[in-house]
Amino acid sequence: MHRITLERHQVWLYLLALGLGLAAGSALQGSAAWLEAALWPLLALLLWATFLQVPLLQLHHALRDLRFTGAVLAGNFVAMPLVAWALVEALAHVQPDPAVRLGVLLVLLVPCTDWFITFTQLGRGDALRATAITPLNLLLQLVLLPAYLWLMGGTATLPAWDPARLAPALLVLLLPLAVAAAQQAWVRAAPPALQARHEAVCNALAWGPVPLLAGVLFVVAASQFDAVWQGLGVLPQVVPVFTAYLLAAAVLARVLARAWSLPTAQGRTLAFTLGTRNSFVVLPLALALPAGWEAAAVVIVAQSLVELLTMALWLRWVPGRLFPSRNSA
């Protein structure tokens, strides 16, 4: 099986992992707390394998095409955050739970840095530019996320931010990032033989994010069965929000592509970067929230599943309808 085939069908693996996790959690009934010990190392391994695929030290590549970069930054860090803000304000009328609001904001404010590239390639976008813009997307989301949450989260979310509880989650997020960056810096100066070996390791680890994320979902569902099961009740409210977000991403991709006069392949890439979000990068933050805020993690998992199911349609619709080839338009 090719890796791209695994990534194309990953949503079914995640659904299976969630189902098995809920079944295991139900059978163990509160005795699965020992699984939590495996959760944080598993998350760290997932993030490390993911960050290794991102050219973290090649930010300058994104500046080679200022039109495309300008469209991506305007979309990901101005337009789509405003959409997310409008959506959580509308959501508050039917679901006032601050944990749900926080989960929606956490996941919608961070552009994807991994399967976005895969979807761009499958959807006949510009994979080279997708790869080039990814480090800049990652850097800016880490810098801007606290400001966005402070501005949009509302005072009701303030009790969730306990520095003592969030410190381990930040370590799980930032340590793999630092290790991956250090590895990439080291390999630059390494002899060709070591560079080739490192590339082989990275290629092998590229298979890791899908099964590792499935493992994370299994552990979350099994070890926090009661919270996850109760949190499923928010799905009828948040699924329409995530669907509306994706529709807005498609419309704005079309508008921005025209405004910046982007070629067809770059327009498709813009659609995929605006539509895909970095769910498992913010998942550690949600899992570190205090008791009573478990719904935030459920919301993030729900968004990733909605997104992946929708991307199966986008792979045909984006190149076929939203940004068709000129000879077929």
Side-chain angles (χ1 to χ4, degrees):
M1 180 177 64
H2 295 291
R3 178 166 58 88
I4 205 163
T5 304
L6 175 65
E7 292 174 341
R8 187 192 293 268
H9 301 290
Q10 59 190 306
V11 64
W12 309 114
L13 182 60
Y14 300 149
L15 287 171
L16 177 62
L18 277 171
L20 292 175
L22 287 172
S26 177
L28 294 171
Q29 281 298 330
S31 61
W34 57 270
L35 280 171
E36 292 187 24
L39 178 58
W40 295 105
L42 197 58
L43 272 168
L45 187 59
L46 165 64
L47 291 169
W48 173 63
T50 300
F51 290 145
L52 271 182
Q53 313 308 315
V54 178
L56 297 170
L57 305 181
Q58 299 179 24
L59 288 170
H60 60 285
H61 287 181
L63 303 179
R64 292 180 178 177
D65 188 339
L66 293 180
R67 278 195 310 167
F68 174 72
T69 299
V72 170
L73 297 186
N76 271 330
F77 299 104
V78 180
M80 297 316 298
L82 290 174
V83 169
W85 196 358
L87 288 173
V88 294
E89 290 299 321
L91 177 65
H93 295 290
V94 295
Q95 177 50 263
D97 187 350
V100 174
R101 180 187 184 94
L102 183 56
V104 171
L105 285 174
L106 275 171
V107 72
L108 292 188
L109 291 172
V110 288
C112 185
T113 57
D114 58 311
W115 56 47
F116 146 61
I117 299 173
T118 300
F119 289 133
T120 297
Q121 183 178 1
L122 291 171
R124 290 185 283 161
D126 192 329
L128 290 177
R129 280 180 171 79
T131 304
I133 200 66
T134 296
L136 190 56
N137 273 341
L138 178 61
L139 175 64
L140 287 177
Q141 68 184 253
L142 294 176
V143 172
L144 293 175
L145 181 61
Y148 286 145
L149 292 175
W150 174 80
L151 181 64
M152 304 177 192
T155 56
T157 65
L158 293 179
W161 303 114
D162 180 356
R165 292 185 64 91
L166 290 176
L170 290 173
L171 183 63
V172 166
L173 174 60
L174 297 178
L175 184 59
L177 179 62
V179 171
Q183 282 183 254
Q184 292 180 16
W186 169 81
V187 80
R188 277 185 173 184
L194 286 178
Q195 290 181 357
R197 187 174 300 175
H198 183 266
E199 183 177 358
V201 170
C202 288
N203 289 337
L205 287 172
W207 287 80
V210 172
L212 285 170
L213 182 53
V216 167
L217 294 177
F218 172 84
V219 171
V220 169
S223 63
Q224 303 186 36
F225 170 77
D226 291 336
V228 172
W229 186 255
Q230 294 171 10
L232 294 179
V234 306
L235 294 186
Q237 289 87 40
V238 298
V239 167
V241 169
F242 297 141
T243 304
Y245 177 90
L246 286 161
L247 290 173
V251 171
L252 284 169
R254 184 81 180 205
V255 170
L256 291 171
R258 286 186 175 181
W260 265 266
S261 301
L262 298 183
T264 299
Q266 293 183 26
R268 295 168 183 165
T269 308
L270 182 62
F272 284 113
T273 188
L274 298 187
T276 55
R277 305 286 92 186
N278 230 356
S279 53
F280 57 79
V281 167
V282 292
L283 186 57
L285 298 176
L287 291 172
L289 295 174
W293 292 80
E294 293 86 356
V298 176
V299 165
I300 290 171
V301 172
Q303 186 279 333
S304 66
L305 296 176
V306 171
E307 177 184 304
L308 287 168
L309 287 168
T310 305
M311 286 301 120
L313 301 175
W314 273 40
L315 291 177
R316 291 181 178 272
W317 181 66
V318 168
R321 298 286 184 176
L322 189 64
F323 290 100
S325 300
R326 291 183 179 180
N327 58 7
S328 62

